[in-house]
């Protein structure tokens, strides 16, 4: 799977022309053009047309474009999915995923509609059943025909459905976040953390970004453009981390280390698993720089 940065993933309301246009100048790694929660029922059809046109028109440079459709069992979901398939975004985000069948069904529709091969599927993990079935849902990625590449945490919905308290340290939901990360990694998926609602609270936002990165998240979903810059900063490999990673990679290329599983770099024991980690750090750093 192609490595690409997904540090900052900004939700943009699909019914808002100004927001769709403004996104072209925002330095987020990805945009979720939303047809679901941010769009009133009476505006669903119009928003669908606007989002499809925005994707087809382009102008977002290398930013990843993701269309979030309505749940397939709703009156809008299937039309959303077919329209999104015709637009050919980088990915389509399926909401309320609770079991692998939700991904499999969406993939069948994309195939039937002739969606471009590059259009992937992302899954919203926002129900208790999604967390309980995280391993099985992520396991759908084992079949390349499912086009599955990313999990997105819907932390607001998880709090609502579980009745957990929304405390600043996210004590109640950290185990669910960690389970999602492990499920994603077991099957080669990326995983994106949930939103931080108070976009004026920079300190709290930064703390939650740090927590997400510590847990292993690839990035964070955002609700306001002001959150993009600090999010990109925190989820980017640091200069020292990149320098060390390059040193590890270089050390393993030396003739005297050929075939070795463990070597010493600057007095530290380094295994080939550290080489794989170093290679990913450098790849992400280079992708950010391009």
């Amino acid at each position: 799977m192609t490595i690409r940065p997904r540090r900052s993933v900004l939700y943009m309301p699909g019914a808002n022309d100004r927001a769709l246009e403004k996104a072209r100048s925002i330095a987020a790694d990805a945009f979720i053009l939303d047809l679901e929660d941010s769009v009133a029922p009476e505006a669903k059809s119009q928003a669908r047309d606007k989002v499809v046109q925005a994707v087809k028109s382009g102008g977002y440079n290398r930013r990843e474009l993701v269309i979030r459709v309505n749940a397939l069992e709703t009156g809008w979901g299937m039309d959303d999915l077919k329209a999104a398939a015709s637009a050919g975004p980088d990915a389509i985000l399926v909401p309320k995923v609770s079991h692998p069948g939700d991904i499999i069904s969406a993939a069948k529709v994309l195939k039937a509609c002739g969606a471009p091969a590059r259009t992937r599927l992302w899954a919203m993990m926002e129900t208790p059943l999604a967390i309980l079935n995280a391993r099985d849902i992520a396991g759908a990625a084992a079949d390349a025909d499912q086009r599955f590449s990313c999990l997105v945490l819907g932390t607001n919905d998880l709090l609502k459905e579980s009745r957990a308290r929304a405390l600043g340290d996210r004590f109640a939901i950290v185990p669910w976040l960690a389970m999602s990360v492990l499920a994603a990694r077991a099957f080669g998926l990326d995983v994106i953390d949930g939103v931080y609602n108070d976009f004026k609270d920079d300190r709290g936002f930064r703390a939650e970004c740090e927590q997400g990165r510590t847990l292993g998240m690839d990035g964070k979903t955002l609700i306001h453009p002001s959150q993009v810059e600090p999010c990109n900063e925190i989820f980017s490999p640091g200069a020292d981390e990149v320098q060390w990673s390059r040193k590890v990679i270089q050390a393993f290329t030396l003739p005297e280390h050929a075939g070795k599983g463990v070597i010493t770099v600057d007095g530290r024991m380094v295994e080939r698993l550290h080489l794989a980690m170093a290679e990913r750090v450098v790849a992400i750093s280079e992708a950010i720089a391009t």
Side-chain angles (χ1 to χ4, degrees):
M1 189 177 295
T2 301
I3 291 178
R4 66 188 304 171
R6 288 172 175 145
R7 303 164 297 172
S8 51
V9 182
L10 179 62
Y11 285 105
M12 305 299 285
N16 189 323
D17 291 307
R18 182 181 176 189
L20 295 176
E21 179 62 32
K22 184 178 181 181
R24 291 181 167 91
S25 62
I26 298 173
D29 288 332
F31 297 107
I32 295 175
L33 310 183
D34 188 32
L35 300 177
E36 195 205 16
D37 288 346
S38 68
V39 180
E42 62 272 17
K44 295 284 190 185
S45 179
Q46 186 180 29
R48 182 190 305 133
D49 293 340
K50 289 180 178 180
V51 165
V52 167
Q53 184 57 42
V55 172
K56 289 183 175 181
S57 297
Y60 295 89
N61 298 319
R62 65 183 180 86
R63 300 174 183 89
E64 200 168 8
L65 295 183
V66 183
I67 298 177
R68 180 165 73 168
V69 299
N70 285 277
L72 301 189
E73 62 269 19
T74 68
W76 310 286
M78 192 56 68
D79 287 339
D80 286 350
L81 190 56
K82 291 177 180 178
S86 72
D90 294 292
I92 295 170
L93 177 56
V94 183
K96 303 295 188 290
V97 170
S98 294
H99 51 76
D102 295 324
I103 294 298
I104 294 168
S105 297
K108 288 179 178 178
V109 174
L110 295 192
K111 183 177 181 179
C113 292
R118 69 180 183 84
T119 298
R120 318 312 295 169
L121 285 172
W122 291 14
M124 286 294 306
M125 305 290 284
E126 54 187 336
T127 68
L129 197 53
I131 301 303
L132 291 173
N133 290 337
R135 181 195 179 280
D136 292 336
I137 291 169
D143 181 353
D145 288 342
Q146 308 311 330
R147 303 166 174 253
F148 195 17
S149 65
C150 190
L151 303 181
V152 180
L153 274 298
T155 45
N156 283 335
D157 282 279
L158 284 171
L159 285 166
K160 170 182 173 289
E161 296 297 327
S162 67
R163 303 176 195 166
R165 295 179 66 189
L167 301 178
D169 59 2
R170 300 199 294 183
F171 173 83
I173 68 171
V174 163
W176 310 337
L177 301 178
M179 285 173 62
S180 299
V181 170
L182 287 177
R185 298 299 179 243
F187 294 97
L189 300 175
D190 275 0
V191 57
I192 311 298
D193 201 356
V195 301
Y196 188 80
N197 297 312
D198 187 355
F199 63 85
K200 294 185 178 179
D201 178 12
D202 181 68
R203 183 176 180 180
F205 175 70
R206 284 178 173 273
E208 194 164 287
C209 285
E210 293 285 2
Q211 182 193 52
R213 190 176 181 201
T214 298
L215 286 169
M217 299 288 179
D218 293 289
K220 191 167 183 64
T221 45
L222 312 175
I223 60 170
H224 195 275
S226 65
Q227 296 176 320
V228 170
E229 184 176 353
C231 189
N232 282 346
E233 173 194 333
I234 291 168
F235 281 96
S236 295
D240 290 345
E241 185 180 2
V242 174
Q243 183 180 20
W244 169 253
S245 295
R246 292 189 187 279
K247 185 175 290 189
V248 169
I249 294 169
Q250 177 61 30
F252 271 103
T253 66
L254 297 176
E256 60 265 32
H257 294 153
K260 289 185 177 180
V262 181
I263 63 175
T264 300
V265 179
D266 291 353
R268 294 167 59 180
M269 185 188 77
V270 178
E271 302 179 58
R272 288 201 170 267
L273 66 89
H274 297 113
L275 172 62
M277 295 165 64
E279 288 172 338
R280 179 172 178 82
V281 166
V282 171
I284 286 289
S285 177
E286 292 176 347
I288 291 169
T290 59

